[in-house]
Amino acid sequence: MSDLNEESSKEHVEDSLKQVVDLIARQKLVESLVHSQDMPRHELVEALVHKQNLAELQKKLDELHPADVAYVLEALPLDDRLLVWDLVKAERDGDILIEVSDAVRESLIATMDNRELVAAAASLDTDEIADLAPDLPKDVVQELMKSLDEQKRAQVESSLSYDEDSVGALMDYDFVTIRADVTIETALRYLRILGELPPHTDKLFVVDKDKRLTGVLPLKRLLVHDPEAHIAAIMVDDPVVFHPSDSASDAAQAFERYDLVTAPILDPQNRLVGRLTVDVVLDYIRAEAQEDMLSMAGLREEEDLFATVWRAAKNRWLWLAVNLCTALIASRVVGAFEGSIEKLAALAALMPIVAGMGGNSGNQTSTLVVRGLALGLINKENARRLLGKELGISLLNGAVWGSVMGIVAYLLYQNVALGGVMAAAMLLNLLVAALAGYFAPTIIARLGRDPAFGSAVLTTFITDSMGFFIFLGLATVVLL
């Protein structure tokens, strides 16, 4: 059922995008035709047609969820994006700005004045304001903080004081607390008085008079137990809890491991200061996954799909420069054996196979290690065993596929020694690939960087250079 709902949701948002694109295209076509016509009161007719087309487009946008509008904005070229953004109702600006990607958000913010930005941000919850604030101009942030009440301002300042990868930066301050000494009937009466629960509320937080957490009460227990029973008798007194300084990545893993919807956040004195919710955790996981994908591709920051050529090119320069340097080094390794290649042309045809197989094998190991490091599965106790396993896999693969390529090389060139060199080189380079794939992300992680950043390029560089060196070196010694 969930797969069907997900597929239906995807079809809905894609259909909405198509409708918006069609409306924009039709608007441009109709206005172009009207503009080219020679008629009385031409300017008035043009204005009426323009207004009618925009009204139809605005009606469609009003029907969409803010997340769907964000999807549409990200998929449109800049001119069309700004046209759509101008049609969004002002009271929805904040909700949409939170949903769009950082790169697109920057392009939208650039079109808004301070008054509009303050109004958009002020309509958001505390945690959402803290998420949006880093992207706003400093004077807008100052004006925004002045417009908030004292409690909300203190909460925003608290969220902004934490590292962006900490639980504190993801903290939500909207939660419901009860005392352990009241009955279920009293708790239910209190909830009816509230009238509405904060989003994603699956449990109430049980605190004492000093706001120290004593337990949590899942709502399902509240509904199925005797109304005269006390909260203390049915609450969970050992819940999963977090602290503001905890790693957001560790918290995300805990949410997945324990199937959490919400969890309390405590200060060092065990006082309840906030909560962590599953929607924020999912957003964090998605953002981290996107960042890892960009890092592996060599992009320094999230790139707007329709960014200017100059800006997009600058974003890719760093990795292209690194690749150029590694390619030059690999080329010099080949250059050192130019004499051998001239004497036996078959070497030039076969050496990319050795390097390519090593690169693929090394990246398989590297991907596995990056995942293990990200999930906290690799530690001092099992690291050596993991390395031994990867070396064993490479030894087996090297023996099997090295033998296959040795036979192929013999059949192609009728040279037994060349076949043996090919087999040995592939075996040795796959062992090198296992070492490179293991140590590249590990060393990067120990340097305090994201292990996904640069591990693939570093692994490929090592396997290419060593593959050329091993194959050409063996060929020079054995064949020439």
Side-chain angles (χ1 to χ4, degrees), residues 400-454:
V400 171
W401 298 109
S403 299
V404 170
M405 280 309 305
I407 294 172
V408 171
Y410 166 72
L411 293 176
L412 288 174
Y413 300 101
Q414 299 297 309
N415 188 325
V416 175
L418 178 60
V421 167
M422 186 68 182
M426 187 167 291
L427 172 62
L428 292 174
N429 199 34
L430 287 184
L431 290 173
V432 169
L435 292 171
Y438 177 85
F439 283 109
T442 302
I443 292 173
I444 292 172
R446 288 184 178 178
L447 294 175
R449 298 296 300 273
D450 183 349
F453 186 78

Side-chain angles (χ1 to χ4, degrees), residues 169-452:
L170 307 179
M171 186 161 50
D172 177 15
Y173 298 90
D174 194 9
F175 51 84
V176 179
T177 62
I178 54 172
R179 298 282 292 275
D181 56 356
V182 303
T183 65
I184 291 178
E185 176 59 34
T186 302
L188 289 171
R189 190 161 55 246
Y190 171 59
L191 294 182
R192 285 194 290 270
I193 292 173
L194 288 178
E196 184 179 3
L197 295 176
H200 306 289
T201 296
D202 70 323
K203 59 177 69 75
L204 308 180
F205 300 141
V206 186
V207 298
D208 62 18
K209 62 179 181 177
D210 297 318
K211 294 188 177 181
R212 291 187 176 87
L213 187 77
T214 59
V216 299
L217 178 62
L219 292 182
K220 59 184 179 182
R221 293 194 180 190
L222 191 67
L223 298 175
V224 300
H225 281 79
D226 182 358
E228 298 303 319
H230 283 77
I231 299 300
I234 64 170
M235 71 180 186
V236 177
D237 56 11
D238 59 343
V240 177
V241 302
F242 301 102
H243 298 88
S245 58
D246 290 344
S247 165
S249 178
D250 292 343
Q253 293 173 33
F255 262 69
E256 180 183 8
R257 187 180 308 118
Y258 302 116
D259 295 326
L260 299 175
V261 176
T262 62
I265 301 175
L266 311 179
D267 68 8
Q269 287 73 43
N270 206 42
R271 290 192 296 261
L272 182 67
V273 294
R275 67 168 183 161
L276 193 59
T277 58
V278 65
D279 59 324
V280 175
V281 171
L282 287 175
D283 287 343
Y284 176 80
I285 293 173
R286 182 185 63 179
E288 287 297 294
Q290 291 176 345
E291 186 177 336
D292 285 346
M293 289 175 61
L294 293 171
S295 295
M296 293 178 70
L299 297 176
R300 294 181 298 171
E301 58 187 31
E302 186 177 7
E303 184 178 305
D304 184 352
L305 190 62
F306 297 101
T308 63
V309 172
W310 174 251
R311 182 166 186 172
K314 287 196 300 180
N315 192 30
R316 306 180 193 192
W317 280 351
L318 174 62
W319 225 231
L320 291 176
V322 172
N323 275 317
L324 179 60
C325 293
T326 57
L328 285 172
I329 295 173
S331 72
R332 296 322 306 149
V333 172
V334 175
F337 295 94
E338 286 180 353
S340 301
I341 297 174
E342 288 178 358
K343 294 178 182 178
L344 189 58
L347 299 180
L350 294 174
M351 66 180 183
I353 300 175
V354 177
M357 287 291 288
N360 288 333
S361 179
N363 283 329
Q364 288 174 344
T365 300
S366 175
T367 300
L368 187 69
V369 173
V370 167
R371 177 181 178 275
L373 291 171
L375 296 177
L377 302 177
I378 300 176
N379 50 52
K380 292 181 180 179
E381 288 71 28
N382 62 23
R384 185 172 296 180
R385 179 173 296 182
L386 175 61
L387 177 59
K389 187 205 82 170
E390 289 302 312
L391 287 173
I393 294 172
S394 294
L395 184 63
L396 177 60
N397 284 336
V400 171
W401 298 109
S403 299
V404 170
M405 280 309 305
I407 294 172
V408 171
Y410 166 72
L411 293 176
L412 288 174
Y413 300 101
Q414 299 297 309
N415 188 325
V416 175
L418 178 60
V421 167
M422 186 68 182
M426 187 167 291
L427 172 62
L428 292 174
N429 199 34
L430 287 184
L431 290 173
V432 169
L435 292 171
Y438 177 85
F439 283 109
T442 302
I443 292 173
I444 292 172
R446 288 184 178 178
L447 294 175
R449 298 296 300 273
D450 183 349

